[in-house]
Amino acid sequence: MTATTSTSVQWPTPGLTRIPYALYDDAQTAAAEQARIYRGDTWNYLCLEADLAEAGSYRTTFVGETPVVVTRDDDGEIYAFENRCSHRGALIALEKSGTAKDFQCVYHAWSYNRQGDLTGVAFERGVKGKGGMPAGFRKEDHNPRKLRIAVFCGLVFGSFSDDVPGIEDYLGPEICQRIERVLHKPVEVIGRFTQALPNNWKLYFENVKDSYHASLLHLFFTTFELNRLSQKGGVIVDESGGHHVSYSMTDPEAKDASYREQGLRSDADHRLKDTSLLAGFAEFPDGITLQILSVFPGFVLQQIQNCLAIRQVLPQGLAQTALNWTYLGYAEDTPEQRQVRLKQSNLIGPAGFVSMEDGAVGGFVQRGIAGARDLEAVVEMGGDSAASSEGRATEASVRGFWKAYRRHMAV
């Protein structure tokens, strides 16, 4: 292996309960992740099918740190290709979204169609018989790298790999069912923003999978009885370990003394001045009021009460992560239902009543481990397996992440 596809970090044990802190700030590991994970045998969330409603629609996004253009062509199909001009490497598309007949690099005006084929080279034959490209130059040899595309429940995924299994096989039946549970009818985007996180991408993705922390870190969850470990619920970890679901049901009977008895800050006497924030409506017949679902390496689908959202986790160097949020509503929402979703959107995001702390705690870890590269995190809550569980006082899905990570990274 070359230095760019391997890591120099040594794992202390063959299991999943000790995680070397060095993995969160090692440059060689980060380079290997781009090659083995993001450009490897994984499906990466790109955008919603609803973002590409008509021919010519496009969005720009990333697979890891690689910029990508996603388009819909006149044939109705979705295509994705590297957002990099084959000439000198400049971005081809500069806007986050729009419509285009084709794309032209602003630097030297090389042109590309919606499928990512190089179609035009400015002054390819020179000017007045002088200059130009060599006689043997063939445009078809200089297309940007293209991605395979898979669409599931209106979610558009892309992969640089020819070997990654089909999307339903990649997700597995339980994860497919839980995605279908939320995305079972057409959706509309009702808001977007990007949050900058001061930590390695793995710290945030671990946090998403960590059902143990949710009612301890997030004061709002337990105070207003949205999520307590004593409520009915569970954790699903797929066979690969990389995908998970954590879910719970609001249950007034679950409000016991267990948090107060341990002196935890997650049980407080705060009250809402505007109680309509949590005055939602029942829309899922299974009674689940909170479901957090993740797909390796960086997709999250959430349902918190009536707040539906997608989170896209993207690395930006060793200690920076971009977290792209997309708020969703159903196309058939009534005005009253849409108003509820918009109001409950205040639960999440960098200042959200629920998730505000998640934007800070990853930075606390990143700073806390700065002098501990030769030490390891302890991930033993609930045992040492990466198996599904009826209880949520466990780190099984975090261990599942590392199970998938070690397989993709071959460590």
Side-chain angles (χ1 to χ4, degrees):
M1 295 181 186
T2 64
T4 57
T5 59
S6 63
T7 173
S8 60
V9 178
Q10 298 299 311
W11 287 74
T13 68
L16 305 169
T17 63
R18 296 292 185 273
I19 312 303
Y21 287 134
L23 288 170
Y24 302 106
D25 70 350
D26 181 70
Q28 185 171 320
T29 297
E33 289 169 353
Q34 294 300 313
R36 286 189 169 272
I37 295 177
Y38 294 103
R39 294 192 299 273
D41 296 340
T42 60
W43 284 107
N44 295 266
Y45 172 74
L46 301 179
C47 66
L48 289 165
E49 195 173 18
D51 292 326
L52 308 171
E54 60 185 24
S57 301
Y58 74 88
R59 282 197 66 82
T60 57
T61 184
F62 292 83
V63 170
E65 294 182 341
T66 302
V68 170
V69 183
V70 194
T71 70
R72 189 184 293 275
D73 205 0
D74 288 329
D75 61 2
E77 296 297 319
I78 295 173
Y79 299 88
F81 52 93
E82 194 175 8
N83 191 3
R84 174 188 57 82
C85 181
S86 303
H87 179 215
R88 301 293 297 278
L91 293 172
I92 298 170
L94 303 179
E95 302 297 330
K96 289 184 177 179
S97 64
T99 58
K101 292 182 178 180
D102 53 26
F103 300 92
Q104 188 175 84
C105 175
V106 70
Y107 197 2
H108 297 95
W110 285 32
S111 300
Y112 302 83
N113 65 20
R114 296 172 185 159
Q115 298 185 24
D117 300 320
L118 177 62
T119 56
V121 173
F123 300 117
E124 182 178 358
R125 302 304 176 200
V127 178
K128 295 182 179 181
K130 297 181 180 179
M133 301 300 288
F137 177 80
R138 301 170 70 249
K139 288 190 285 291
E140 57 267 34
D141 294 335
H142 297 278
N143 298 324
R145 289 178 290 188
K146 299 183 180 183
L147 288 78
R148 289 175 60 191
I149 291 293
V151 180
F152 182 76
C153 286
L155 304 170
V156 181
F157 292 89
S159 180
F160 283 107
S161 170
D162 292 328
D163 299 322
V164 64
I167 187 63
E168 293 190 33
D169 289 335
Y170 182 79
L171 296 173
E174 288 184 297
I175 302 300
C176 284
Q177 179 184 7
R178 290 294 180 142
I179 292 176
E180 289 171 335
R181 174 185 171 274
V182 177
L183 301 179
H184 60 282
K185 51 188 173 181
V187 297
E188 294 178 344
V189 176
I190 61 176
R192 300 182 197 271
F193 62 88
T194 296
Q195 181 179 357
L197 302 176
N199 50 264
N200 187 271
W201 70 275
K202 296 186 289 298
L203 287 171
Y204 182 80
F205 208 51
E206 281 182 297
N207 177 270
V208 165
K209 294 171 175 290
D210 181 359
S211 56
Y212 174 41
H213 88 280
S215 63
L216 300 171
L217 176 67
H218 302 306
L219 190 64
F220 195 92
F221 263 155
T222 47
T223 299
F224 299 102
E225 302 173 38
L226 298 182
N227 186 3
R228 287 173 172 259
L229 292 176
S230 51
Q231 291 174 345
K232 296 177 182 178
V235 173
I236 298 169
V237 185
D238 84 307
E239 186 177 352
S240 77
H243 323 315
H244 103 291
V245 180
S246 176
Y247 64 95
S248 63
M249 307 174 193
T250 300
D251 179 10
E253 295 181 3
K255 187 174 183 178
D256 55 24
S258 56
Y259 287 84
R260 287 191 183 279
E261 287 172 356
Q262 296 192 55
L264 301 174
R265 62 172 292 276
S266 296
D267 196 17
D269 296 321
H270 300 312
R271 294 291 178 267
L272 283 173
K273 187 173 183 180
D274 180 7
T275 56
S276 69
L277 176 71
L278 298 179
F281 55 96
E283 61 180 331
F284 296 100
D286 56 14
I288 292 173
T289 51
L290 185 148
Q291 175 180 287
I292 303 297
L293 179 152
S294 69
V295 174
F296 187 90
F299 169 82
V300 182
L301 175 64
Q302 70 148 67
Q303 173 225 338
I304 301 176
Q305 304 289 91
N306 302 115
C307 180
L308 311 177
I310 287 169
R311 312 177 201 173
Q312 181 189 32
V313 184
L314 294 172
Q316 292 187 324
L318 289 179
Q320 287 289 130
T321 299
L323 182 59
N324 292 329
W325 296 79
T326 303
Y327 293 115
L328 301 177
Y330 295 124
E332 65 178 32
D333 280 348
T334 66
E336 293 78 16
Q337 289 172 330
R338 185 59 56 87
Q339 186 63 32
V340 168
R341 296 195 202 284
L342 289 170
K343 180 168 282 191
Q344 289 187 3
S345 69
N346 291 289
L347 295 172
I348 61 173
F353 290 119
V354 170
S355 63
M356 173 177 60
E357 297 91 348
D358 287 329
V361 73
F364 296 163
V365 177
Q366 194 77 45
R367 289 154 56 189
I369 64 177
R373 284 181 56 87
D374 57 339
L375 301 177
E376 306 91 30
V378 177
V379 189
E380 289 187 354
M381 197 70 183
D384 60 3
S385 76
S388 300
S389 168
E390 293 183 359
R392 289 175 296 124
T394 179
E395 293 168 312
S397 48
V398 178
R399 290 188 290 272
F401 168 77
W402 290 108
K403 176 183 176 182
Y405 182 91
R406 296 193 72 168
R407 180 173 64 84
H408 284 282
M409 294 288 286
V411 292

